[in-house]
Amino acid sequence: MFIANTVTKVTRQTTEPLRDQILQRCRLMLMGGHIVPGQKLPLRPLAEEFETSLMPVRDALNRLVADGALEMSNSRTIRVPDMSDERLLELHEIRRSLEGLAAEYAAPLLSNAAISRLEQLIDDMETALRSGDYDTYISSHYSFHFTIYTAAGRPTLLGMIDVLWLQVGPWFRQGIERANSTDGKPNAGHKRIVAALRARDPVATRASVEHDVFANIEYIRKGEFPLAG
Amino acid sequence: MFIANTVTKVTRQTTEPLRDQILQRCRLMLMGGHIVPGQKLPLRPLAEEFETSLMPVRDALNRLVADGALEMSNSRTIRVPDMSDERLLELHEIRRSLEGLAAEYAAPLLSNAAISRLEQLIDDMETALRSGDYDTYISSHYSFHFTIYTAAGRPTLLGMIDVLWLQVGPWFRQGIERANSTDGKPNAGHKRIVAALRARDPVATRASVEHDVFANIEYIRKGEFPLAG
DNA sequence: TTTAGTATCATGTGATATCAAAAATATATA
DNA sequence: TATATATTTTTGATATCACATGATACTAAA
C-alpha cells in the first residue's frame, strides 16, 4: 500500500510479460487518478509491491515517461508531472483536433447497438456522479469516448488519443471531484454527441466532440473546473 | 556494419545515458531511411556494434516500439514495420491535422530571419534533389518543416509530430528516390507555405501545410510516388 | 541561528547470468 | 526431392549486482 491502494501483485505468465502487466496497472492508476501529481514512483518500492525485480518495473515506467504520463527529473527521479495551465491548454488543443478527427470517421460506422450503449453509459455517469462514485464515473466516461474513437478504425490515432488521456488523467480526477459540487452538466455535451451519431452526421459529430473536449478548458478559464494543480 | 552503415560506437559519458545516445542514432537511421522496412533489429548484434551491453539497446528499442517506429511481433522480434496503404493513409491524416495545427500557431510567431532560412532550405532541397543527394534532401526537408513547427511553441504537439515523421521516415526515403525520377515539384508546396508565412496568415499557412502533407498521398494514389512497400 | 562541509542513503543506469521460447539448422523419413 | 522431425542456436525477458550521482541528514564552525 505504498504507492497506491490499487497496487496488486503480478504473476509470471507465459502469455503476458510482467512489464505489460505492470504497465497496465500503472495506466489504470493514472487514468483513475489514484496516483497524484507530484508523487514519486521509485523503482525499488514499486518492484517490491509488485513482487518482481526492478527490470519489468523499469520497462513499464520508461514507457510511461516516453508517453509523457510520467516525467523524469534531471536527477533521474520519476514522478507524476505537475500540470501547468499552459500544458493543459496544449493537451486539450491536441485532443480537440484528434478526437474530432476520430469522431468524424466514427460517425457513419457506429451501430445502433453501440449508440444505445453510449446512452447507457451516460446514465451510468449520471448515477455515479450523484453518488460521488468517481471511479465508476471516470471508467464510464472513458468507455463512452473510446467506444466512439475505436469505431473509427484508426489504430494509430486511437493510440495517440489514449496517450493524451493518460496525460490528462490525474488532473481530470481532481477536476471532476471539484466540478461536481458546483456544476453537474458535463453530460449535456455527451447527449449532443449521441444525437449527432444517431443522425449519422460526421460534421455534427465532430463539432459536438470538439465542443465537449473544449468545455473542460472553458470550465478552467471560468475557475469552475480548476483542473490545474 | 551489420545493421546499417551508419552505426557507430557510443561512449559512456557522465552527461548523456548510453540509452539516449543509441536512441538518437537509431532515430537518425530511421528518419534517413538507412534501416529498411522488414529488417530485424536483434538486441545482441546491435549491442555488439554499439559496444555496450544489452540494456541500453533494449531501452532505446523499447522506446521506438512505443513510438510506433518499430514493431514487436508476437514472438518478440523487433523489426521495422512494413507500410500498408491503410496505415500510410492514416498517418497522413493525422499528420495533416497536427501539422496544420502547429503551422497555424506558428504563422504569427516566425521571425523574418527564420522565414529567410526556410527559403534557403528550399534551395538546399532543390540542389540536393538534382544531385541525387537524398540524405541532404531529407535533412533539409526535416529542418524546413520543424523550423515552422518548433516556432509554434507547443512542445507536446511537436513531440507527437516528430513521432509521426519517425514512423513515415523509412518509406519517405523510398518514395523520394522514386518520385525524383518522374516528378520534381514537391517544392511548389513549400513555396506556398513560405508565402503564407511571409503574409503572417495563419489560415493560409495551415491550408498550405495541410495541402503539402497530403500531396504525398496524392502521389501515392496516382502511383507516381509509391511509398507503400 | 545560520551556513558550509561531510557522511549516508536513495535512485536510475548499465553489466552479466540465466531461462524459456522461438527460429534456424540438421537430420530423418516418405 | 519434399516434408516432417529432432537438435542446435538465437532471442528477448527477467533477476541480480555494481556503480555513479544526486538528495538528505547531520555535524561543526561562525
Side-chain angles (χ1 to χ4, degrees):
Chain A
M1 303 276 250
F2 176 71
I3 303 296
N5 53 9
T6 52
V7 174
T8 57
K9 191 175 67 169
V10 293
T11 58
R12 195 165 187 169
Q13 304 170 353
T14 53
T15 52
E16 198 180 16
L18 294 177
R19 174 215 334 159
D20 293 344
Q21 297 181 50
I22 293 170
L23 179 60
Q24 179 61 11
R25 277 171 173 70
C26 290
R27 288 171 58 89
L28 287 176
M29 290 191 285
L30 283 165
M31 288 267 199
H34 295 122
I35 314 182
V36 300
Q39 181 171 351
K40 288 187 197 172
L41 294 177
L43 298 186
R44 267 161 263 253
L46 260 181
E48 208 171 321
E49 294 197 48
F50 286 124
E51 297 185 24
T52 71
S53 72
L54 294 185
M55 297 309 303
V57 178
R58 195 166 103 88
D59 288 344
L61 264 54
N62 276 343
R63 169 62 183 270
L64 291 169
V65 170
D67 285 343
L70 300 176
E71 70 176 2
M72 184 174 296
S73 73
N74 47 10
S75 68
R76 305 276 154 80
T77 306
I78 296 173
R79 65 174 70 232
V80 183
D82 287 318
M83 182 66 82
S84 67
D85 286 351
E86 199 174 25
R87 178 168 144 83
L88 195 64
L89 177 61
E90 183 187 1
L91 287 170
H92 279 78
E93 288 165 348
I94 303 171
R95 280 192 58 199
R96 180 174 52 176
S97 181
L98 293 188
E99 293 178 34
L101 186 63
E104 185 176 339
Y105 291 133
L109 301 173
L110 269 174
S111 67
N112 283 325
I115 296 176
S116 297
R117 193 154 74 86
L118 294 179
E119 286 168 335
Q120 178 60 51
L121 286 166
I122 289 178
D123 287 344
D124 294 346
M125 279 187 263
E126 284 179 351
T127 304
L129 266 192
R130 270 196 295 273
S131 64
D133 180 0
Y134 298 112
D135 283 335
T136 299
Y137 174 81
I138 288 172
S139 169
S140 301
H141 183 241
Y142 179 91
S143 295
F144 178 88
H145 282 270
F146 278 78
T147 295
I148 300 172
Y149 305 146
T150 302
R154 301 292 200 282
T156 302
L157 180 59
L158 188 66
M160 293 176 80
I161 295 172
D162 196 69
V163 166
L164 290 169
W165 277 61
L166 205 53
Q167 295 182 57
V168 176
W171 301 274
F172 184 69
R173 171 61 176 251
Q174 298 182 315
I176 280 295
E177 291 196 7
R178 290 211 222 172
N180 193 26
S181 56
T182 61
D183 188 345
K185 55 184 183 212
N187 264 333
H190 296 146
K191 284 171 181 166
R192 275 195 295 273
I193 293 171
V194 170
L197 285 169
R198 282 253 181 247
R200 300 289 195 281
D201 182 340
V203 174
T205 301
R206 174 196 271 268
S208 58
V209 166
E210 288 185 351
H211 183 275
D212 180 56
V213 167
F214 224 66
N216 288 348
I217 291 290
E218 294 303 316
Y219 280 125
I220 295 163
R221 288 245 173 84
K222 288 188 293 180
E224 291 175 0
F225 198 172
L227 293 183
Chain B
M1 302 278 252
F2 177 70
I3 303 297
N5 53 9
T6 54
V7 174
T8 57
K9 191 175 68 170
V10 293
T11 58
R12 193 163 187 171
Q13 303 170 355
T14 53
T15 51
E16 197 181 16
L18 292 177
R19 172 211 342 149
D20 294 344
Q21 297 179 52
I22 293 170
L23 179 60
Q24 179 62 11
R25 276 169 174 72
C26 290
R27 289 172 59 88
L28 287 176
M29 289 191 287
L30 284 166
M31 287 266 198
H34 297 122
I35 313 181
V36 300
Q39 181 171 352
K40 284 189 197 172
L41 295 177
L43 298 185
R44 266 164 262 251
L46 260 181
E48 207 170 322
E49 294 198 48
F50 286 123
E51 298 185 23
T52 69
S53 72
L54 296 184
M55 297 309 302
V57 177
R58 202 170 98 86
D59 287 344
L61 263 53
N62 277 341
R63 168 63 184 268
L64 291 169
V65 169
D67 286 344
L70 299 177
E71 71 176 2
M72 184 177 296
S73 72
N74 47 10
S75 68
R76 307 283 150 76
T77 306
I78 295 173
R79 65 174 70 230
V80 183
D82 286 319
M83 182 64 81
S84 66
D85 287 350
E86 200 174 26
R87 179 169 144 83
L88 195 64
L89 176 62
E90 181 187 2
L91 287 171
H92 279 78
E93 288 165 347
I94 304 171
R95 279 192 59 199
R96 180 173 54 177
S97 180
L98 293 188
E99 293 178 33
L101 185 64
E104 185 176 340
Y105 290 134
L109 300 174
L110 268 174
S111 66
N112 283 324
I115 296 176
S116 296
R117 193 155 76 85
L118 294 180
E119 287 169 332
Q120 178 60 52
L121 287 166
I122 289 179
D123 288 344
D124 294 347
M125 278 187 263
E126 285 180 349
T127 303
L129 266 193
R130 269 197 296 273
S131 63
D133 180 359
Y134 298 112
D135 284 334
T136 299
Y137 175 81
I138 288 172
S139 168
S140 301
H141 184 242
Y142 178 89
S143 295
F144 179 88
H145 282 270
F146 279 79
T147 294
I148 301 172
Y149 306 146
T150 302
R154 301 291 200 282
T156 303
L157 180 59
L158 187 66
M160 294 176 80
I161 295 172
D162 196 69
V163 166
L164 290 169
W165 278 61
L166 205 54
Q167 295 182 58
V168 175
W171 301 273
F172 185 70
R173 171 62 175 251
Q174 298 182 315
I176 281 295
E177 290 195 6
R178 289 211 223 173
N180 192 26
S181 56
T182 60
D183 188 343
K185 57 185 179 210
N187 263 333
H190 295 146
K191 285 173 180 165
R192 274 196 294 274
I193 294 171
V194 169
L197 286 169
R198 281 253 180 248
R200 299 289 194 284
D201 183 339
V203 174
T205 301
R206 175 197 270 267
S208 58
V209 166
E210 288 185 350
H211 183 273
D212 180 56
V213 167
F214 225 65
N216 288 348
I217 291 291
E218 293 303 317
Y219 280 124
I220 296 162
R221 287 246 173 82
K222 289 187 294 180
E224 293 175 359
F225 199 171
L227 293 182

